[in-house]
Amino acid sequence: MRFRFRFFSLLSVLLFCFGSLTAQETIVMVRALAKDAKFIGSSIGGAKIIVRNAETGMILDQGFTSGSTGDTKLILKTPQERYDSLTDEETAGFKAELDITEPTFIEIEAHAPFNKKQARVVSSTQLWVIPGKNITGDGVVLEVPGFVVDILSPQTHERIKSSEVVSLKANIVMMCGCPVTEGGTWDANQYEVKAILDAEGKQSREIALKPTDKASTFEAETSLDKGYYTITVYAFDPVTGNTGVDKTNIIIN
């Protein structure tokens, strides 16, 4: 009788121990929010999200945010009170599904916007997750600062005669892809957009690019002496500190 009692007691302990080690799927919603703008989603290729065990470095899940950039009025124009949500079911995010057996300290990275390499930055945070305790709703929101700057003209390694006018043109959008326009939600007149012209043996020059009638497009014209030039176009917002840069090289002959 004592043997049978001890056997079942031991069996119960073993079952309890093995049961406690069973992995539980735990959901963590992750979103990437462009600084002074909206969520990074499908329209610009998404943010790559990587969730790691912070202690071991093991990747627990990874993928891309998808969905819409969200409601402009709600995100930017509505006063927020405690527990107010910035998102809805359509708002871009990545639902990480973690199989964990115990409270786990994780690190979450957002590489965004992933498809724009010259603008891509990494935003990260760390937190504890508990097996079976989902983090949903707005979830974990990572802020992504900057602008996406693309030089449209001149083209890379373009050869231009010194007697010709050099057209400088750039496309500038928020990190979520939202457009920059004069008098718009993201006012082109608020931003400083300049081209830095560098050539060996020559003093650097800066030229201001002005907004055009086409959304997110800035341009200027100049003339250059013969030489090999590196052209750097930057955008800077003195209010928020958002900054973006793109570079190209041309030949003036």
Side-chain angles (χ1 to χ4, degrees), residues 39-139:
F39 289 92
I40 298 171
S42 301
S43 62
I44 200 167
K48 184 174 183 179
I49 305 299
I50 303 174
V51 183
R52 291 186 174 91
N53 182 313
E55 295 181 345
T56 67
M58 186 177 110
I59 293 177
L60 303 175
D61 201 359
Q62 61 182 319
F64 289 85
T65 60
S66 62
S68 77
T69 56
D71 185 324
T72 303
K73 182 178 179 181
L74 177 63
I75 297 168
L76 296 173
K77 300 179 180 180
T78 304
Q80 297 295 309
E81 295 186 3
R82 187 180 185 185
Y83 304 132
D84 283 351
S85 178
L86 287 176
T87 66
D88 56 31
E89 292 182 357
E90 303 300 321
T91 306
F94 171 69
K95 186 173 74 172
E97 298 176 350
L98 314 180
D99 289 327
I100 55 177
T101 60
E102 61 183 0
T104 304
F105 194 51
I106 66 169
E107 182 171 33
I108 302 176
E109 295 178 355
H111 299 244
F114 192 76
N115 287 346
K116 304 303 296 183
K117 189 174 182 179
Q118 83 281 13
R120 188 194 307 163
V121 299
V122 179
S123 180
S124 66
T125 192
Q126 295 178 320
L127 68 150
W128 283 97
V129 288
I130 312 300
K133 306 298 182 182
N134 297 329
I135 301 174
T136 55
D138 285 356

Side-chain angles (χ1 to χ4, degrees), residues 187-205:
D187 189 353
N189 295 314
Q190 179 174 308
Y191 308 137
E192 180 182 325
V193 180
K194 291 186 177 180
I196 303 172
L197 311 174
D198 286 303
E200 291 183 3
K202 296 180 174 61
Q203 187 174 358
S204 293
R205 294 171 53 193

Side-chain angles (χ1 to χ4, degrees), residues 7-8 29 50 56 60-61 75 79 83 90 106 112 156 161 163 210 217 235 249:
F7 173 79
F8 282 112
M29 174 58 71
I50 303 174
T56 67
L60 303 175
D61 201 359
I75 297 168
Y83 304 132
E90 303 300 321
I106 66 169
T156 299
K161 293 181 179 179
S163 59
K210 301 298 183 183
T217 306
N249 291 84

